[in-house]
């Protein structure tokens, strides 16, 4: 079972090399992964005007998925925090089942498919904050198990309606993730980690926008594998044995 648990991190460096593009749709996928989440959001009636310039900048960054909800709660007093909420998710990439690549090749992950299901309690908490409909996105902190290479994966959703009592279910088929390079012979595993989910009311006036985010950590004892690539070394070239010329007669 992969041991790497990925957390929020900076953008990874651009890689170059030979091209290896798996053909979508992929045949392999992660299992259904379970998560425990903490929700952060402004209570109804919160005066956004009371935020100073630094806090507003952090809020705008969080709305764009560029700043963590956990960090937002630490920097801005007055946010609602709800712990112990449950969610599940499954992921798939463009890597086909049984995919192989030569060492030095670049492996394409896009498009990444993601499905998310949030327990009914999540929807209830969002409604308490005044969020019944909005635009949403998610960031999966994934990476390559064997090398520790981080590969953040972004998902965006059309207008999301928060159900009154049922689970909130979302799917995306075109998640964005940077390719990675297989730098040696061996197995390379694209692995899931934490994810963050963001939702904000689609208000024409940004000052009146209501925002909430969930920071979700995978539960213990799960196989977090999404897909794998087997990088096989090319056989060493062989030199044909020299031939002895046939004797000649005069």
């Amino acid at each position: 079972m992969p041991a790497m648990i990925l957390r929020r991190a900076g953008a990874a460096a651009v890689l170059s090399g030979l091209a290896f593009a798996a053909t979508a749709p992929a045949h392999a996928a992660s299992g259904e992964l379970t998560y425990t989440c903490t929700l952060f959001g402004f209570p109804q009636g919160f005066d956004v005007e009371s935020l100073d310039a630094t806090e507003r900048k952090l809020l705008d960054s969080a709305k764009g998925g560029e700043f963590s909800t956990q960090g937002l709660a630490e920097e801005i007093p007055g946010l609602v925090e709800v712990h112990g909420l449950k969610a599940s998710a499954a992921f798939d990439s463009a890597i086909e089942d049984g995919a192989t690549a030569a060492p030095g090749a670049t492996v394409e992950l896009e498009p990444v498919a993601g499905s998310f299901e949030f327990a009914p309690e999540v929807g209830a908490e969002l409604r308490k904050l005044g969020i019944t409909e909005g635009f949403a996105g998610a960031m999966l902190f994934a990476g390559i198990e064997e090398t520790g290479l981080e590969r953040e994966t972004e998902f965006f959703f059309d207008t999301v309606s928060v159900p009154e009592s049922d689970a909130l279910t979302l799917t995306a088929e075109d998640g964005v993730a940077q390719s990675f390079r297989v730098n040696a012979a061996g197995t390379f595993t694209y692995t899931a980690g934490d994810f963050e989910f963001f939702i904000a009311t689609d208000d024409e006036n940004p000052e009146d926008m209501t925002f909430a985010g969930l920071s979700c950590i995978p539960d213990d004892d799960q196989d977090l594998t999404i897909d794998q690539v087997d990088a096989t070394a090319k056989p060493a070239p062989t030199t044909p044995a020299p031939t002895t010329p046939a004797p000649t007669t005069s």
Side-chain angles (χ1 to χ4, degrees), residues 211-247:
F211 167 84
L214 287 102
S215 182
C216 301
I217 298 173
D219 296 332
D220 294 337
D221 300 323
Q222 298 184 88
D223 183 353
L224 302 177
T225 298
I226 300 175
D227 280 313
Q228 288 184 319
V229 174
D230 183 20
T232 55
K234 293 181 179 179
T238 58
T239 303
T243 56
T244 303

Side-chain angles (χ1 to χ4, degrees), residues 32-56:
E32 183 177 285
L33 307 176
T34 60
Y35 286 80
T36 300
C37 308
T38 299
L39 180 144
F40 303 93
F42 292 108
Q44 271 192 299
F46 183 88
D47 183 11
V48 178
E49 295 287 342
S50 66
L51 300 177
D52 62 28
T54 299
E55 292 168 339
R56 284 171 180 266

